[in-house]
Amino acid sequence: MADTVVGATPDPHASGDDPSRRDFIHIAAGAAAVGAAGALIWPLVDQMNPAGDTLALASIEFDLGKVEPGQQVVVKWRGKPLFVRNRTPEQIAAAVKDDNASDLRDPATDESRHKPGKAQWLVLVGTCTHLGCVPTVGGGDYGGWFCPCHGSHYDTSGRIRKGPAPKNLLVPDYAFLSDTKIKVG
Amino acid sequence: MSGHSTYEPTTGIERWLDTRLPIVRFAHDTALSFPTPKNLNYWYTFGGILALMLGIQLVTGIVLAMHYVPHVDYAFASVERIMRDVNCGWLIRYMHANGASMFFLAVYIHMIRGLYYGSYKAPREVLWILGCLIYLAMMATAFIGYVLPWGQMSFHGAVVITNLFGALPIIGTPITTWLWGGFAVDNPTLNRFFSLHYLLPFVIAGLVILHIWALHVPGNNNPTGVNVKSENDTVPFHPYYTVKDGFAIGVFLLLYASFVFYNPNVLGHADNYIPANPLVTPAHIVPEWYFLPFYAILRAVPDKLGGVLLMFGAIATLFVLPWLDTSKVRSMRYRPTARLYLFIFVLAALVLGYCGGQLPDDPVIGAPSGLMLLDADINSMVWLSRVATLYYFAYFLIILPVLGLTETPLPVPESISEPVLSHPATTPVGAAASPEKRG
């Protein structure tokens, strides 16, 4: 029955009539809907990123006088442990000796990992570069740190030597305010 | 499978409701009269057990949320308060914590049942994939839930697992920061984990509904793997399987109760009764037992990204299993060679679970051999994990595809009833087999 009507009384609203105009409306409406959905989803995703107060975490100052030679002090910085280690001359010598060792996975000289003329002070972010555990000081095959979680060995310069971790322990941004005081962050 | 409805409303109110919302008819057709193969054994009762465990976890979890405080300063203390001061709080928490373990125990048996009887094969691929999604959601829920008490294992477990995503190139760091809501696992992380831990069980419940829907389209597989041919092959779900499932649930609850009442902490880790300390990682960090096989796979690879990819790959492989197994025969009852390889697979999974709980450099037997292969002693957990990991993947990616084409399966019966009725013990001399009397 319907096919007898087609052509007899042209219906301006029939589907398929003037396809380009119809398509334009479909595409425009679809694009608007996608745009609106995207605009709505982004705040819902972005709210999980660090909030303003989290980002505004202050830098910390630390008095090196608390750390005896051979010792390490762990302080909390941005929710993570920060290692401040006062290295003995033997430990520094061991680190420098291995500067060109073939098993350095993330090659770096010991020189590049401390401030000039402050070879005894090693300041590192104390999270294993594998999966974020806190390595224990003095352990492992190289006398630096040993991560108990998955067995990564770091040397006395905090360089990865053995185990699954891909990178050296991270050196944060810090500066000496005086001979005995540093500012981290 | 889903034939016409046999529901007949008997009372006036049921007839009134049936024409408006046929919900009683739906329940009747789904849970009472549903035609079910008559040869299902006790391995098939774990679906019902799992539904019950989900219910228990939901109820106990909602109750715990009434007392728990999702804040780094109060979370640990609020859990201790639940244990000491809240009326029956200890019982509800032990039910919830051990319930998670029981849930995983049941799901692993349920999955191995599916592997053995070929329940993932056509036309049940979607059913199997939905099951894999449920398993994935269960793992996410369990991991997040374990973080909430904010003990040492909670905290450092959260650190390790979220750092897994950091292994991804380029997007790794933004993703971990996004997950944490900061630069480390901290209060924002705990808050969102609590929110998601409340949400995900309902996602699981939704997936379970789809899973049961997908089950009821082709109907149950069965131990012969042969399709249902006639009504003689089936019995109504009630009373036959309500009773069988009910008995299995009773036995399973005995095991569950023995943990809850007699050894509620044996599956946990003592370190989680120490409040979280971001500055000290426990000497021996291990996940809950149900994650140990995947943890062993992660540690078997000496490369960070490789380990992470292989671990997720171990789960991803399950999703494509229906297309990896090339055999036309469903049940391994008629595939003796495949059955042997499946037993070795289960053994490999158990070995991985064992390795995951040990330190990587620990010797497997006796003292270290002193013989180094690549980066580790040949007599070490790492090498045992590697062998087992290799088998895990070989089973899915090599053995099942090749075996389906090369093996010679045993003769498969014509129907579910046929092997029973043709068995000499059920056919006395002179008596004609009369299937119609044996429904």
Side-chain angles (χ1 to χ4, degrees):
Chain A
M1 202 175 91
D3 50 346
T4 58
V5 187
V6 166
T9 48
D11 177 5
H13 300 295
S15 64
D17 196 54
D18 194 0
S20 63
R21 194 171 151 216
R22 186 62 60 180
D23 287 352
F24 173 76
I25 292 170
H26 282 167
I27 291 166
V34 168
L40 195 66
I41 286 169
W42 175 243
L44 292 173
V45 172
D46 190 40
Q47 53 82 23
M48 279 175 69
N49 275 316
D53 62 335
T54 311
L55 288 170
L57 276 177
S59 50
I60 56 164
E61 289 180 14
F62 182 74
D63 182 5
L64 297 172
K66 296 175 197 166
V67 195
E68 296 290 322
Q71 268 194 344
Q72 165 182 289
V73 165
V74 183
V75 288
K76 200 171 162 185
W77 175 66
R78 291 189 180 172
K80 285 180 181 171
L82 192 73
F83 292 160
V84 182
R85 187 162 177 174
N86 189 345
R87 298 191 291 175
T88 62
E90 299 82 59
Q91 288 168 341
I92 299 168
V96 172
K97 183 169 70 68
D98 286 350
D99 271 354
N100 295 311
S102 59
D103 62 350
L104 286 179
R105 192 170 301 159
D106 181 14
T109 59
D110 187 57
E111 183 83 44
S112 68
R113 304 191 40 88
H114 58 75
K115 296 294 173 192
K118 307 277 187 189
Q120 74 186 105
W121 296 109
L122 203 56
V123 180
L124 301 168
V125 176
T127 52
C128 182
T129 56
H130 182 225
L131 294 172
C133 295
V134 184
T136 50
V137 68
D141 296 352
Y142 299 89
W145 287 268
F146 174 71
C147 182
C149 291
H150 307 98
S152 290
H153 301 251
Y154 296 91
D155 65 13
T156 51
S157 192
R159 294 174 297 203
I160 179 66
R161 299 300 288 271
K162 186 180 167 195
K167 297 272 180 196
N168 300 333
L169 289 178
L170 190 73
V171 181
D173 283 334
Y174 73 101
F176 277 85
L177 299 177
S178 69
D179 272 354
T180 61
K181 200 164 212 177
I182 56 168
K183 184 181 176 189
V184 187
Chain B
M1 216 30 218
S2 44
H4 67 98
S5 178
T6 57
Y7 172 69
E8 280 174 27
T10 45
T11 62
I13 190 160
E14 280 181 81
R15 275 190 294 275
W16 181 87
L17 186 63
D18 197 49
T19 52
R20 285 156 181 82
L21 178 70
I23 190 168
V24 182
R25 176 181 300 276
F26 178 75
H28 181 272
D29 295 345
T30 306
L32 297 179
S33 70
F34 188 75
T36 312
K38 62 183 178 183
N39 59 335
L40 300 189
N41 54 30
Y42 275 105
W43 297 109
Y44 281 79
T45 59
F46 283 88
I49 289 170
L50 283 161
L52 176 78
M53 289 316 298
L54 178 62
I56 291 175
Q57 291 303 90
L58 275 165
V59 170
T60 53
I62 288 167
V63 171
L64 287 170
M66 296 177 186
H67 304 281
Y68 171 78
V69 185
H71 188 282
V72 289
D73 292 340
Y74 306 104
F76 188 86
S78 75
V79 172
E80 283 308 299
R81 185 177 159 270
I82 289 169
M83 293 303 291
R84 294 156 197 248
D85 297 330
V86 173
N87 299 327
C88 304
W90 62 273
L91 175 64
I92 294 160
R93 175 163 178 263
Y94 278 157
M95 280 175 72
H96 196 71
N98 287 287
S101 281
M102 291 295 114
F103 205 158
F104 273 96
L105 175 66
V107 92
Y108 283 133
I109 297 173
H110 193 64
M111 289 163 80
I112 292 169
R113 192 287 319 272
L115 289 176
Y116 187 90
Y117 293 120
S119 303
Y120 48 84
K121 292 189 197 184
R124 296 184 183 81
E125 301 96 323
V126 173
L127 174 62
W128 171 261
I129 289 170
L130 284 165
C132 292
L133 286 173
I134 292 170
Y135 177 53
L136 207 59
M138 276 175 66
M139 291 201 286
T141 313
F143 155 66
I144 289 172
Y146 192 58
V147 175
L148 300 184
W150 212 241
Q152 273 290 66
M153 280 292 168
S154 298
F155 180 86
H156 292 281
V159 169
V160 168
I161 301 297
T162 50
N163 265 303
L164 292 179
F165 297 97
L168 299 170
I170 304 165
I171 53 166
T173 309
I175 283 187
T176 45
T177 307
W178 180 74
L179 285 172
W180 291 335
F183 302 106
V185 174
D186 212 330
N187 199 46
T189 324
L190 180 61
N191 257 236
R192 62 191 56 182
F193 276 21
F194 179 60
S195 170
L196 294 174
H197 189 68
Y198 209 116
L199 165 73
L200 282 174
F202 296 97
V203 173
I204 294 176
L207 288 169
V208 166
I209 290 171
L210 293 179
H211 191 63
I212 295 172
W213 186 5
L215 168 71
H216 280 192
V217 174
N220 289 73
N221 184 29
N222 68 82
T224 65
V226 177
N227 288 337
V228 167
K229 296 280 172 20
S230 71
E231 272 190 29
N232 286 331
D233 289 339
T234 67
V235 289
F237 191 81
H238 179 74
Y240 294 94
Y241 288 113
T242 44
V243 168
K244 191 162 187 157
D245 280 1
F247 179 70
I249 284 170
V251 173
F252 192 79
L253 287 181
L254 279 178
L255 177 69
Y256 180 24
S258 69
F259 279 109
V260 171
F261 292 106
Y262 293 102
N263 220 339
N265 288 307
V266 69
L267 298 171
H269 200 292
D271 276 318
N272 219 29
Y273 283 102
I274 302 168
N277 179 358
L279 304 187
V280 181
T281 300
H284 188 194
I285 183 161
V286 282
E288 292 281 83
W289 68 268
Y290 37 81
F291 291 139
L292 288 175
F294 299 106
Y295 194 59
I297 291 175
L298 171 76
R299 294 197 302 192
V301 187
D303 175 73
K304 182 172 165 179
L305 180 61
V308 171
L309 290 180
L310 211 59
M311 188 182 76
F312 285 116
I315 297 159
T317 310
L318 295 175
F319 282 83
V320 290
L321 172 61
W323 295 275
L324 291 173
D325 188 347
T326 50
S327 174
K328 295 275 180 275
V329 179
R330 276 201 201 105
S331 174
M332 287 199 187
R333 189 176 269 186
Y334 308 106
R335 301 179 63 194
T337 320
R339 187 164 60 205
L340 178 69
Y341 284 113
L342 178 65
F343 285 144
I344 301 173
F345 172 79
V346 174
L347 188 70
L350 291 172
V351 164
L352 280 173
Y354 171 71
C355 291
Q358 310 298 315
L359 289 170
D361 292 333
D362 278 354
V364 180
I365 33 168
S369 66
L371 201 66
M372 297 292 283
L373 184 60
L374 299 178
D375 58 343
D377 194 287
I378 199 161
N379 177 21
S380 67
M381 291 295 165
V382 171
W383 272 108
L384 185 59
S385 308
R386 282 172 189 170
V387 172
T389 303
L390 195 68
Y391 187 82
Y392 181 102
F393 283 98
Y395 176 75
F396 290 120
L397 301 177
I398 299 169
I399 294 173
L400 281 182
V402 172
L403 203 58
L405 304 174
T406 57
E407 74 181 340
T408 311
L410 299 175
V412 176
E414 280 299 310
S415 72
I416 292 170
S417 304
E418 191 251 355
V420 183
L421 298 177
S422 64
H423 196 274
T426 59
T427 321
V429 182
S434 44
E436 67 278 7
K437 285 181 186 168
R438 291 178 188 270

